[in-house]
Amino acid sequence: MSDVQRPLLQALREGARERAKAGRAGGVSWARRIAPAPVLLRLLTALTLFTASELAVPPEWAGTGFYAALAALLALAAALAPAGPAVFVAIGFTIAAWLVSDALDGDRSPTLWTAAGLACLLYTGHSAAAVAQRFRTTTAMDGEIILTWAKHLGLVLASTVGIALTLALFTAYFTGLTAGLAVGAGIVAAVTVIYVLARSLHKTP
């Protein structure tokens, strides 16, 4: 190595060390400033959307590496970018997988509780993302916002389960329609409460 190249190589090494130190310091600073509520909402978004996608298909589909990896990737994208289209893509993927798997598997018919479970999981993921998108991971959230969201979420989940229970009691009268009615009721309830939740959050100072 020539005398000219030696100082250049040393300067490159020192520069790399300084950048590494700055990166570590920035990471530690971000970790110290992180707010738990927005992060937990994002984790909830990913977990519920992934669980819904696994519930929507038969076990032989859910256990395949490609399907599980794709479902996990879409759920993670929705959690990392709750304000973008990733949430709707993940929800659309789950609904499409449910419909396609039911259409291809003639021996598997949609069940009331699968429909109710999907409605609950998808609404939970969507509503968590709707709240999380308003806050950065380093922004502290007012406890009143979390409480308002939790109340409305509980209302939707309880109403969905209540409707499913009512239909289950009269399943002989709703043969072939239970799953569709449960999904329809879940969608109506979700849209209604999303609107109420949005107004509540908008009014929160």
Side-chain angles (χ1 to χ4, degrees), residues 144-191:
E144 188 65 26
I145 295 176
I146 296 295
L147 182 60
T148 301
W149 168 74
K151 287 180 179 179
H152 287 87
L153 176 62
L155 176 63
V156 170
L157 299 187
S159 63
T160 302
V161 172
I163 291 171
L165 284 171
T166 302
L167 293 177
L169 292 175
F170 298 97
T171 185
Y173 300 99
F174 294 98
T175 302
L177 298 176
T178 53
L181 286 173
V183 173
I187 291 174
V188 171
V191 171

Side-chain angles (χ1 to χ4, degrees), residues 37-46 49 73-91 124-137 141:
V39 174
L40 290 176
L41 284 172
R42 285 166 169 79
L43 289 176
L44 181 62
T45 298
L49 292 180
L73 180 63
L74 292 176
L76 182 61
L80 294 177
V87 175
F88 295 100
V89 172
I91 292 175
T124 301
H126 181 274
S127 63
V131 178
Q133 70 176 327
R134 297 170 58 91
F135 302 92
R136 300 185 179 209
T137 55
M141 294 178 60

Side-chain angles (χ1 to χ4, degrees), residues 4-105:
V4 176
Q5 292 175 331
R6 191 173 291 108
L8 178 60
L9 182 59
Q10 183 178 1
L12 290 175
R13 288 175 178 173
E14 291 178 355
R17 282 197 294 267
E18 291 298 325
R19 285 192 295 270
K21 289 180 181 178
R24 286 194 296 269
V28 171
S29 176
W30 176 82
R32 288 175 178 173
R33 292 184 295 111
I34 196 170
V39 174
L40 290 176
L41 284 172
R42 285 166 169 79
L43 289 176
L44 181 62
T45 298
L47 180 61
T48 52
L49 292 180
F50 176 74
T51 303
S53 63
E54 290 288 288
L55 178 65
V57 297
E60 54 269 22
W61 286 33
T64 60
F66 175 77
Y67 180 85
L70 181 58
L73 180 63
L74 292 176
L76 182 61
L80 294 177
V87 175
F88 295 100
V89 172
I91 292 175
F93 168 77
T94 299
I95 295 175
W98 182 45
L99 296 176
V100 169
S101 64
D102 284 336
L104 295 180
D105 190 351

